DNA sequence: TGAATGATTTACT
DNA sequence: GTAAATCATTCAA
């Protein structure tokens, strides 16, 4: 599926479709790094290259909101079809944006943790209260939601159609680490289910090096 | 109906 | 480096 040009050059951009998302969450999380997240509300366009993701794989993953098959109004969308948006509110302030993956009744999702702004930095800067060139625009899951204007209104939206979507990006070097902020999950927190672009200044934080050479 | 808590961010030392 | 902010969601009663 073609979309109109959204960032700068004349290249054509292909929207990621159902088949891309209806796979295992680890594959999708890894391959989303380098893709471009777009929010086109018809008046303004925002876009950013995904540089950091995390995979959450219920029901077995203790770190996932869908752990143990927990099916609530909040997690409901994760039990449905891949390619839909799962948003949740945390710490009394922040929204986080995910895309559902896998097959129905496999409650998985990829958390988008950081992007590199590509289009619409001025609006992102206004919403974030930071300069346009600031790394703080979108280098965290809550920050990018604020910059892109994501909140409960986007819950359940189909990312294969509509105003919010991903387009294919160029391949890039992807590293992995443990996920962030899920220490409550015991050994599940240690699994290397966080994926991020090597050498990107836009990732939310540098992973703690593991091993003498800082290898992943 | 009430209590606990969190897939974070920010300010401050 | 630490700590406070702040409220929707969840679960127990």
């Amino acid at each position: 599926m073609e979309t109109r040009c959204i960032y700068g050059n004349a290249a054509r951009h292909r929207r990621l479709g159902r088949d891309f998302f209806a796979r295992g969450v680890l594959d999708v999380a890894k391959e989303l790094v380098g893709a471009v997240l777009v929010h086109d509300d018809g008046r303004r366009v925002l876009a950013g290259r995904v540089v950091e993701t995390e995979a959450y794989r219920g029901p077995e993953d203790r770190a996932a909101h869908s752990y143990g098959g927990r099916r609530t109004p909040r997690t409901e969308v994760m039990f449905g079809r891949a390619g839909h948006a799962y948003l949740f509110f945390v710490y009394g302030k922040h929204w986080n944006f995910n895309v559902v993956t896998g097959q129905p009744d496999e409650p998985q999702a990829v958390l988008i943790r950081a992007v590199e702004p590509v289009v619409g930095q001025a609006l992102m800067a206004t919403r974030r209260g930071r300069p346009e060139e600031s790394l703080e625009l979108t280098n965290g899951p809550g920050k990018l939601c604020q910059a892109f204007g994501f909140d409960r209104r986007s819950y359940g939206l189909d990312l294969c159609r509509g105003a919010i979507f991903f387009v294919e990006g160029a391949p890039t070097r992807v590293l992995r680490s443990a996920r962030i902020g899920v220490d409550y999950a015991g050994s599940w927190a240690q699994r290397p289910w966080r994926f991020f672009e090597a050498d990107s200044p836009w990732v939310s934080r540098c992973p703690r090096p593991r091993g003498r050479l800082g290898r992943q």
Side-chain angles (χ1 to χ4, degrees):
Chain A
M1 175 177 178
E2 302 291 336
T3 66
R4 63 192 174 85
C5 177
I6 46 83
Y7 57 106
N9 59 40
R12 289 153 142 197
H13 305 293
R14 193 166 55 157
R15 179 191 290 237
L16 296 179
R18 200 78 59 201
D19 291 348
F20 179 88
F21 299 110
R23 297 180 296 145
V25 68
L26 292 167
D27 288 334
V28 177
K30 177 179 164 192
E31 293 177 32
L32 272 178
V33 176
V36 179
L37 173 64
V38 182
H39 186 191
D40 180 350
D41 68 3
R43 303 195 313 129
R44 298 182 283 209
V45 177
L46 299 176
R49 283 186 61 248
V50 177
V51 298
E52 180 180 344
T53 64
E54 282 176 358
Y56 288 86
R57 193 174 73 186
E60 71 270 24
D61 175 9
R62 191 167 175 71
H65 292 155
S66 54
Y67 173 64
R70 206 161 79 231
R71 188 167 185 161
T72 67
R74 181 174 70 156
T75 63
E76 179 62 29
V77 72
M78 272 195 280
F79 289 81
R81 213 173 171 203
H84 291 257
Y86 169 49
L87 289 100
F88 62 91
F89 186 73
V90 274
Y91 296 113
K93 273 193 193 11
H94 311 292
W95 287 92
N96 282 15
F97 173 79
N98 304 246
V99 55
V100 175
T101 67
Q103 296 300 307
D105 293 318
E106 293 175 344
Q108 322 175 335
V110 175
L111 171 68
I112 307 302
R113 284 196 56 91
V115 305
E116 171 185 344
V118 176
V119 175
Q121 286 93 334
L123 176 55
M124 297 183 197
T126 299
R127 286 173 168 166
R128 291 280 303 130
R130 303 274 158 142
E132 283 190 38
E133 64 276 14
S134 172
L135 292 173
E136 304 276 314
L137 246 39
T138 55
N139 67 343
K143 296 174 189 177
L144 78 86
C145 281
Q146 187 180 25
F148 276 71
F150 293 161
D151 57 30
R152 68 169 62 260
R153 292 171 299 177
S154 302
Y155 183 95
L157 292 184
D158 186 357
L159 306 180
C160 302
R161 310 170 175 282
I164 302 171
F165 54 94
F166 292 92
V167 299
E168 210 171 64
T172 185
R173 193 157 76 96
V174 179
L175 305 179
R176 36 195 313 184
S177 77
R179 293 172 293 181
I180 292 173
V182 294
D183 290 346
Y184 58 84
S187 63
W188 287 92
Q190 302 311 313
R191 299 205 173 198
W193 287 7
R194 173 180 182 244
F195 301 86
F196 58 98
E197 183 175 62
D199 303 318
S200 172
W202 297 95
V203 300
S204 63
R205 65 174 92 167
C206 291
R208 193 165 61 208
R210 296 194 303 176
R212 197 161 53 82
L213 300 175
R215 63 188 160 76
Q216 302 303 315

